[in-house]
C-alpha cells in the first residue's frame, strides 16, 4: 500500500503542474475510449455479475454492479462535461498591496492525493478518476470486491487516456479490492493521502470516520425538514412539501419531517394529509396533528414517538408536528435534524431571514423543495459528494472541495522590519 | 467535561445569532476591564509565578507566564482591533439564479465550538476569547496548569464582559487545568467540539493530531527556504536572505535553508557568507558551497549532512546548497521542506511563475522575505494560528478559519421535476 502511496504522491506533483489542455485531452480521450470499449467492458462486467449471482447477491446490489450501455454513456458524458468546465487550479484571488509594499493574494491548488472508498457501483471509478484529473489531484480508488474485473477494465482505460495526454498513469490507481486490510491502511497514511471520501452506507462511513488518520469528507444522515410558517401561501406550501417528500423518497435530500405552525395547522394539514393519503405516505404525527388529520379518507396515521423526530425514513413515511412558533420550529430542527437541508415555507420576510441565519444546516431554503440540495442543481457541474460536516466543505461539494488556497506574496525585495 | 460541552454547544447557538453590535460591545468591555483590573490580574499572576518558581520552572517559561502591564495592554488593544474589524458572519456571496428558478448562494457562519489547547502564556486566553466572540463561536480553553490562577482571573473578566453585552457567559469556558485527562476528553467529543487548535511544542501538537477525534488546525515545522535563481538582483537577494535568516531566528517563518543556482554561486555565496559570518550565523554547506565560502574571514563552516536539509534550526544556523536548475531547487524544497513558506529571488518572470505554481507550500513568495508569512502582515487583522495542513485552511489563519459556508436557496415555490 505504501508503494501505491509513494507513486500517487509523485504523480500528484505532476498533476498539480499539468496544463489545463492536457487534463482536458485526458478526459475527452477517456470519454472516447469508454464509448469504443463497450464490448470489452461488458465482458469484464459479466464476469463480476456471474460471480455475484453465484454468491447469491440481492437484486438491488446486482443492479448497482451492472455496467449497462446507458451507465457507460452517462459516465462518458460526465467526462465531457467536466472537460468543458473551467479549470479550478491556478485561480489567483484577492491580491492586495500591503503597507510594507508586498502584494498578498491566494492561489487555488490541488489538495494532492485523495482516497475514495466505495461499494459495488463501478461507474464511481470513472467519476472519481475524472474529478481527480480535472482538479489536478492523484487518487487511490478502493471499489467493492464484487466489481473487481469491471474496475480493472475501467482503470485500464483511464491509464491509457492519461498516457495519451502525457500525464502520469499513476495519477489514478486502484487499490487491491480483495484485501480487506487495504481500507485500514488507505485511511491511515497521512504522508500519502490528504483526504478520504467514502461513499456507501452509514455504517461504513461512520467506521471510516472513526478510524481515519486523515480528514474525511463524509455524509451521514439526511433528516430534512419542511416548516410551514404562520404566514404562508398554502398552495405553494402544499406543492413544495409534496415534492420534497414524494418526488423521490430514497435520496438524502428528501424531506422526512413536516413542522406546521399552529396558526396554519387546521387549514393546511387536512389538505396536505389528503395528498399524502392519495400517494400512500404514512403519517406519524404528534397528538395535535393527528387530531387534524383524523378525518382524511384513506390516511395511514400513526402516533409519533420521540424516535420518529430523529429518523431518516428514506421511504413513504413522514413525521408531522404542530409547533407554536418559529423559535420552536428552529429549535426542533437544530436538535433533531441532521444539519443537512431544511426549508421554510413563508411569506414573512423577517422569518425567512431568521430561518436562513439560525438554522444550522448545510443547506437552508426559503420556499423551495429540499430535493434541490444537489451539486448539479446548485450549478457545481460535478459533485464529489455531499458533506454533513462544517470543516473544509459543507453541503454539495464540487471540484473546489478537492482544492485548497495557498498564499502568494509578490515583492520587490521587501524585508521585515 | 461533557457538561462543559453541552453548555458550549448551547452557547454557540446564541453566539451564532448574536448581533454584531453585541459582539463588539463585549470586546470593548473586555478591553476596558483588562485595563481596569490590572492590580487584580497581577495578584492572580503572582500566585502562579510563586508556585512556578517554587517548582523550579526555567526562566523562559517564567517569562511566558508573566502577565506584565505591557502584555495586558497588548491584549486589550487586540480586543479593540478585533472589535473594529468587519463581522465575518452573515456575509452572503455568489448568489446566482439557476435555470430551475431558484437562487443559490453561500452564507458565512461560525463553525460552532472550538477547543484551544495551549501552554503557559495566559494572554492566549484573551486572544482565543476575543476571536471566539467576534467569529460567533463558543470555545473551550485548556491553558497550562502553571497559569491556573491567571487564567481564572482573565476568564472571569471575559464572562463579565459577555454578560454585560447580553451574550452567554458559557461562550468562553475554561477547562479544568489540573486534570491531565481533560485534554484527552476535549479532543474526543465530536458532538460538542468542532475543531481543536493546539498551540505549543511540536510534540504536543503531534500527539493531539494523532489522538484527536475532531479536526485539528495545526502547525508543525517551519523549514523555510530561500532560492537564489540564475537571473537575480544580487543586492536584493543579499538583503532579503539576510532578513529572512537573521531578523529573528525563533519564528517558524525564519529561513533555515539557502539554495543557490550554480550560475550565481560564485558571485553570491562569498558576499552572503561575509554577512552571515559578521552576524555569527553558522553555515552548513554542501561541498560546492563550502568551496566557495572557504575564503570568508571568520565564517563558521560545517559540512552539511542529509539531516540538515530536513532541520528547522530556529537558531543562528543555515544550511546551504548549490543547485543546477530551478527544477532541482523546487524538487529539494518539495522533498525536504515543511510546506510552510518558501521564496524565490529572481528577475526571470517565467521562473517566478513556475515557483509560485509548483512549490507546494502554504506561502510561496517572489522577492520577499519569508518572515512576512504572518496573519498581521497578510492583513488578516487577527491570527488564530498558522496551518501547515491543506485541508480547510492553509498558512496564516484569520477569523475566517473559524467559519464555514452554508448554502442558501431562495425560491418562489419551485419543485424538482
Amino acid at each position: 500500500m505504501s508503494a501505491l502511496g509513494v507513486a500517487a504522491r509523485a504523480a500528484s506533483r505532476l498533476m498539480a503542474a499539468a496544463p489545463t489542455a492536457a487534463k482536458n485531452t485526458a478526459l475527452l480521450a477517456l470519454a472516447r475510449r469508454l464509448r469504443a470499449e463497450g464490448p470489452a467492458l461488458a465482458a469484464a462486467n459479466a464476469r463480476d455479475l456471474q460471480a455475484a449471482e453465484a454468491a447469491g447477491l440481492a437484486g438491488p446490489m446486482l443492479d448497482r454492479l451492472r455496467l449497462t450501455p446507458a451507465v457507460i454513456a452517462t459516465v462518458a458524458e460526465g467526462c465531457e462535461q467536466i472537460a468543458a468546465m473551467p479549470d479550478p487550479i491556478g485561480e489567483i484571488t484577492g491580491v492586495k498591496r500591503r503597507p510594507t509594499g508586498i502584494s498578498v493574494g491566494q492561489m487555488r491548488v490541488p489538495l494532492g492525493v485523495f482516497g475514495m472508498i466505495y461499494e459495488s457501483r463501478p461507474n464511481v471509478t470513472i467519476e472519481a478518476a475524472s474529478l481527480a484529473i480535472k482538479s489536478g489531484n492523484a487518487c487511490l480508488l478502493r471499489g467493492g470486491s464484487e466489481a473487481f474485473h469491471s474496475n480493472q477494465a475501467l482503470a485500464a482505460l483511464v491509464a491509457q487516456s492519461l498516457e495519451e495526454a502525457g500525464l502520469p498513469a499513476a495519477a489514478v490507481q486502484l487499490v487491491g479490492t480483495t484485501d480487506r486490510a487495504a481500507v485500514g491502511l488507505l485511511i491511515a497514511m497521512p504522508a500519502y493521502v490528504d483526504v478520504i471520501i467514502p461513499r456507501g452506507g452509514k455504517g461504513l462511513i461512520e467506521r471510516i470516520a472513526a478510524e481515519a488518520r486523515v480528514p474525511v469528507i463524509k455524509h451521514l444522515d439526511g433528516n430534512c425538514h419542511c416548516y410551514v410558517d404562520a404566514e404562508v401561501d398554502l398552495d405553494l406550501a402544499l406543492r413544495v412539501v409534496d415534492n420534497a417528500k414524494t418526488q423521490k423518497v430514497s435520496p438524502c435530500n428528501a424531506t422526512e419531517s413536516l413542522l406546521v405552525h399552529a396558526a396554519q395547522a387546521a387549514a393546511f394539514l387536512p389538505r396536505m394529509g389528503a395528498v399524502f393519503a392519495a400517494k400512500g405516505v404514512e403519517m406519524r404525527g404528534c397528538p395535535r396533528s393527528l387530531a387534524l388529520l383524523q378525518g382524511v379518507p384513506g390516511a395511514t396515521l400513526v402516533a409519533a414517538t420521540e424516535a420518529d423526530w430523529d429518523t431518516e425514513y428514506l421511504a413513504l413515511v413522514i413525521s408531522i408536528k404542530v409547533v407554536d412558533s418559529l423559535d420552536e420550529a428552529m429549535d426542533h430542527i437544530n436538535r433533531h435534524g441532521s444539519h443537512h437541508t431544511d426549508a421554510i415555507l413563508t411569506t414573512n420576510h423577517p422569518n425567512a431571514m431568521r430561518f436562513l441565519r439560525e438554522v444550522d444546516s448545510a443547506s437552508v431554503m426559503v420556499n423551495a423543495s429540499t430535493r434541490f440540495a444537489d451539486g448539479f442543481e446548485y450549478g457545481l457541474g460535478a459533485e464529489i459528494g455531499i458533506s454533513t460536516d462544517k470543516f473544509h466543505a459543507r453541503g454539495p461539494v464540487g471540484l473546489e472541495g478537492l482544492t485548497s488556497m495557498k498564499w502568494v506574496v509578490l515583492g520587490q525585495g521587501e524585508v521585515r522590519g
Side-chain angles (χ1 to χ4, degrees), chain A residues 24 30 86 95 118 177 184 213 254 266 284 300 302 328-329 342 382 386 401 411:
Chain A
N24 291 343
L30 179 54
V95 179
Y118 48 107
T177 48
R213 295 275 298 101
R284 302 199 186 169
T300 308
V302 177
E328 188 186 343
D342 300 288
I386 294 187

Side-chain angles (χ1 to χ4, degrees), chain A residues 125-203:
Chain A
T125 303
I126 298 300
E127 288 174 24
S130 54
L131 293 165
I133 292 169
K134 187 74 184 204
S135 62
N137 285 282
C139 64
L140 293 169
L141 305 180
R142 213 293 187 177
S145 57
E146 62 279 18
F148 178 78
H149 297 102
S150 310
N151 285 338
Q152 292 281 342
L154 291 167
L157 301 186
V158 174
Q160 290 159 18
S161 305
L162 284 164
E163 282 172 346
E164 180 180 329
L167 297 173
V172 179
Q173 297 177 88
L174 284 187
V175 171
T177 48
T178 48
D179 180 5
R180 281 211 152 258
V183 169
L185 295 171
L186 181 61
I187 65 175
M189 307 194 297
Y192 305 126
V193 176
D194 298 290
V195 59
I196 291 284
I197 306 167
R199 285 201 192 170
K202 193 178 171 190

